[in-house]
Amino acid sequence: MTTTLGLRSTVRTLRKPAVFLPRRALSAAAQPTSRSSATNVVYASIFVLSTGLFAVYYSDCRAALHKYVVTPVIRHTLDAESAHKLAVRVLSSGFAPRDPLPDDQVLKTELWGEEISSPVGLAAGFDKHGEAIDGLFNLGFSWVEVGSVTPKPQPGNPKPRVFHLPDDSAVINRYGFNSEGHAAVFARLKARLPTFYPTTSGAASQSHGDEHASLRPNALLAVNLGKNKSSPPDSIADFVLGVRTFGPYADALVINVSSPNTPGLRGMQSRTLLQELLMGVTAVRDEVIGSTASGHRPKLLLKIAPDLSESEVVDIAAAVRASGGVDGVIVSNTTIQRPAGLSDPNKHEQGGLSGRPLKQHSLATLRILRALLPASIPLIGCGGISTGADALEFARAGAAAVQLYTAFGYGGPGTCRQIKDELTTLLRREGKTWQEVVREAVEQTSLHESRDRGSSLRIDDTSEASVHLLVEEAEELRRLVDELAQRLD
């Protein structure tokens, strides 16, 4: 009995550490493990939520991050050309910010019977090689112009060739038509189009012929055509080839004879050479229409300089009217002038000046030209436009649409949306639409036409610009006479 009780007592004693102590140890060890797992879940959830919110924030081009952080950091850490290349690369990647809002109804405008969602487009010079077309449309531009594109690849001028003037909200560039050439840009344009466009016949092709080369219902894609530096200065062959190459793949083709960085190019703005050029490219454009099953007809535009005298603008207007096929004029390219108010140390660099200081030169040239051309030939304002008020000022001068360049570089991806919002506010305050403002200005300032008995075109009104020119010449003559009189005294 005693032995049995002793064994039972011993067994109980042995069982205690075997049964109860490990359970306490396991319980104590499990508590921090459970807390650690819960903490990890919380941290992971916060990370996922934060990442999602940041992605939504980043993808909105209106985010302050882009204007006040990303764009300034890039501008201050990279040289101007490297910053430009990085921006194009991001926009071509598919991961760039976008404009999430539809355009207000008051911004609708009409060009050549085509309705576009807003008058705010992007000028040539930003996407030189056609790499970021859709990324730019996604930022809300209704008109994207790629180029300038030259027939053969050429490197352009030596570096450095782009300079920021932040004190003046301006840029000076002397790129010199650096281009990858027709073949490279043509391949990119063709690659983004549906396979049946534009050469196949049948119902599919016919229906697509009514669409835009932009592949968007309320936007236009333009190609800016330049000429190689090695080509003869007075030759039109490069432009003819450009029209033939890109005609079926663009909504508009822009003849660029106004870059200040290609020797001899601006000489093609003289009346005789320009008239020959415009007639030549018009004839080729009409041939392109007949060669495509869709009947696609790209518009032809001329881009001019802001440094022209009134008599030179008169000659350009005469050449445009005589060509019979030019659909519009872009006013203007960069200027070689240096306004007295420039303060940035880079103001002495050679090249074309763009940005805020260019505005008054472009606007003055546009006003003169508007009085010399009929309402059927729309003008596109370009130069120094950085606010909705600037855009509206161009509309009141008779511009059917406007283009941005330098303001986009300084303001970042939300610039187009910001200007459209400002413009919408101004128009609603006036109780007008963009189209109404433009129509009113064009009716008051454009050249009026009528047909005489022989159905030939006759100019009824004396051009206001010609009167201004005569007054200016008279004042200059009087000044010269006064100087001569002083010398004789």
Side-chain angles (χ1 to χ4, degrees), residues 216-290:
R216 294 161 192 259
N218 300 116
L220 302 175
L221 173 63
V223 178
N224 187 292
L225 304 175
K227 65 183 300 183
N228 284 114
K229 191 176 291 187
S230 58
S231 300
D234 58 350
S235 172
I236 70 171
D238 286 4
F239 295 108
V240 167
L241 182 58
V243 172
R244 197 181 300 278
T245 301
F246 295 107
Y249 300 93
D251 296 308
L253 300 169
V254 181
I255 308 300
N256 187 353
V257 292
S258 53
S259 170
N261 301 313
T262 298
L265 182 65
R266 286 193 168 187
M268 296 197 76
Q269 294 176 118
S270 64
R271 182 168 180 171
T272 303
L273 288 178
L274 185 59
Q275 194 163 318
E276 178 188 350
L277 167 63
L278 296 180
M279 288 182 170
V281 294
T282 298
V284 174
R285 188 270 309 272
D286 294 341
E287 290 177 13
V288 170
I289 297 172

Side-chain angles (χ1 to χ4, degrees), residues 110-246:
E110 187 177 295
L111 285 172
W112 313 293
E114 299 274 4
E115 186 180 87
I116 57 178
S117 60
S118 93
V120 184
L122 181 68
F126 182 83
D127 187 8
K128 289 177 172 289
H129 315 305
E131 300 170 278
I133 294 171
D134 293 301
L136 291 165
F137 276 126
N138 289 338
L139 292 180
F141 290 107
S142 63
W143 170 296
V144 171
E145 189 174 325
V146 302
S148 290
V149 190
T150 57
K152 294 180 291 186
Q154 64 178 30
N157 292 324
K159 300 178 182 179
R161 52 193 179 181
V162 193
F163 307 90
H164 287 140
L165 282 70
D167 294 345
D168 304 303
S169 299
V171 167
I172 292 176
N173 91 80
R174 50 173 182 264
Y175 270 120
F177 279 172
N178 56 312
S179 174
E180 293 182 2
H182 282 183
V185 178
F186 174 80
R188 292 189 183 106
L189 293 184
K190 191 173 182 181
R192 63 182 292 275
L193 292 176
T195 55
F196 56 80
Y197 179 81
T199 55
T200 61
S201 57
S205 178
Q206 291 298 325
S207 63
H208 192 82
D210 297 330
E211 297 178 7
H212 299 145
S214 64
L215 303 184
R216 294 161 192 259
N218 300 116
L220 302 175
L221 173 63
V223 178
N224 187 292
L225 304 175
K227 65 183 300 183
N228 284 114
K229 191 176 291 187
S230 58
S231 300
D234 58 350
S235 172
I236 70 171
D238 286 4
F239 295 108
V240 167
L241 182 58
V243 172
R244 197 181 300 278
T245 301
F246 295 107

Side-chain angles (χ1 to χ4, degrees), residues 83-104:
H84 182 181
K85 288 180 178 178
L86 176 61
V88 172
R89 188 166 298 175
V90 171
L91 285 165
S92 64
S93 68
F95 297 101
R98 296 171 176 244
D99 181 1
L101 300 179
D103 290 333
D104 195 286

Side-chain angles (χ1 to χ4, degrees), residues 355-356 359 381-387 390-391 394 402-405 407 419:
R356 192 169 294 167
K359 177 186 165 185
C382 180
I385 298 167
S386 59
T387 66
D390 292 335
F394 272 82
V402 295
Q403 292 182 329
L404 311 181
Y405 179 71
I419 290 176

